[in-house]
């Protein structure tokens, strides 16, 4: 079985609607490859002012990091208390907001120093965060995206994500890209492009084969998870949990442009 066929199979298991729908499908060209810490169980990722900000998961191993893009060097790190499984992060003005998986608690840090300022509560699981300049968007592993007030971090609405009327489950890592919401579908090599006004999936990105077989360590290298966008340089970055590389990619629409 080829890697691409395996990706389609995983997609069918996680989101049957995606694999049956006639939506535009995008492939990728690799623009540049950067080093990435293979010990980083990536949960959240964003790009800001020349640096990557990354959160990692697993109890006793969770952290928030500021990383040099070109070298992968960690220049600043906050270790999340050992009882928490760290999840997605997002910047909001001079703050950094982070989630935990099943603890129903999130944290607000000073963006510059990573000093912990306060914590907040939410129902259900915390998976990923991004922002559109007006509000914070949060995934919880379902087909819904929560909208949060960035000042209070209280819910102010929800977006139901659908493809041809069917819910798209397992929405994970999020990124705001040119007015669209990008979401990785957990345990697959797919990223969906979502219209935030109505929640409709307007495109699907296949990243099958991005990480070469030689870079995959059995029992360590995990799934795709990590999307960051540099709006000033129009650069899109992706990586995965325990991946040794981070990729800058350019998207191109595939001929015939539908998911089988």
């Amino acid at each position: 079985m080829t890697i691409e066929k395996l990706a389609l199979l995983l997609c069918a298991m996680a989101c049957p609607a995606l694999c049956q729908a006639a939506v535009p499908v995008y492939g990728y060209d690799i623009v540049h490859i950067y080093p990435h810490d293979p010990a980083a169980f990536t949960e959240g990722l964003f790009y800001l002012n020349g640096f990557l900000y990354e959160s990692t998961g697993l109890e006793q191993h969770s952290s928030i990091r500021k990383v040099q893009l070109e070298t992968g060097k960690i220049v600043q790190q906050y270790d999340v208390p050992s009882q928490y499984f760290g999840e997605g992060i997002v910047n909001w003005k001079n703050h950094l907001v982070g989630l935990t998986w099943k603890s129903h608690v999130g944290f607000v840090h000073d963006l510059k120093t990573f000093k912990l300022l306060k914590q907040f509560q939410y129902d259900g699981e915390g998976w990923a965060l991004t922002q559109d300049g007006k509000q914070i968007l949060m995934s919880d592993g379902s087909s819904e995206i929560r909208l949060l007030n960035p000042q209070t971090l209280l819910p102010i609405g929800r977006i139901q994500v659908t493809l041809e009327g069917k819910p798209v489950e397992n929405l994970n890592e999020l990124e705001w890209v040119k007015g669209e919401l990008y979401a990785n579908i957990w345990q697959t090599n797919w990223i969906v492009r979502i219209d935030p006004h109505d929640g409709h999936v307007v495109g699907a990105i296949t990243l099958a084969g991005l990480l070469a077989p030689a870079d995959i360590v059995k029992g360590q290298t995990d799934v795709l998870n990590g999307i960051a966008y540099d709006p000033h340089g129009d650069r899109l970055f992706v990586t995965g949990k325990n991946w040794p590389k981070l990729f800058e990619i350019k998207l191109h629409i595939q001929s015939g442009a539908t998911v089988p």
Side-chain angles (χ1 to χ4, degrees), residues 23-144:
V23 297
V25 174
Y26 298 82
Y28 61 88
D29 295 310
I30 296 174
V31 177
H32 199 92
I33 300 175
Y34 300 95
H36 180 254
D37 180 4
F41 195 77
T42 305
E43 295 293 352
L45 192 70
F46 67 85
Y47 178 91
L48 183 66
N49 298 330
F51 291 92
L52 288 170
Y53 290 77
E54 181 174 23
S55 58
T56 68
L58 304 176
E59 287 92 350
Q60 301 182 24
H61 296 282
S62 297
S63 66
I64 295 171
R65 306 167 171 196
K66 182 179 181 180
V67 180
Q68 286 183 344
L69 171 64
E70 295 78 9
T71 65
K73 179 182 178 182
I74 300 170
V75 297
Q76 192 174 345
Q77 179 167 323
Y78 170 85
D79 293 325
V80 176
S82 60
Q83 69 268 34
Y84 295 114
F85 190 119
E87 285 283 350
I89 53 172
V90 68
N91 62 300
W92 182 263
K93 297 185 178 180
N94 60 340
H95 293 156
L96 185 149
V97 182
L99 299 175
T100 60
W101 184 21
K102 295 183 177 181
S103 302
H104 315 295
V105 61
F107 300 100
V108 179
H109 301 260
D110 180 274
L111 179 61
K112 184 177 180 180
T113 65
F114 285 178
K115 179 182 177 181
L116 180 61
L117 301 176
K118 64 179 181 179
Q119 66 184 54
F120 61 99
Q121 302 287 325
Y122 52 86
D123 294 329
E125 297 183 1
W127 283 40
L129 294 170
T130 192
Q131 54 115 325
D132 63 2
K134 298 179 181 179
Q135 57 198 350
I136 291 175
L137 299 91
M138 170 184 168
S139 65
D140 58 14
S142 71
S143 61
E144 290 189 332

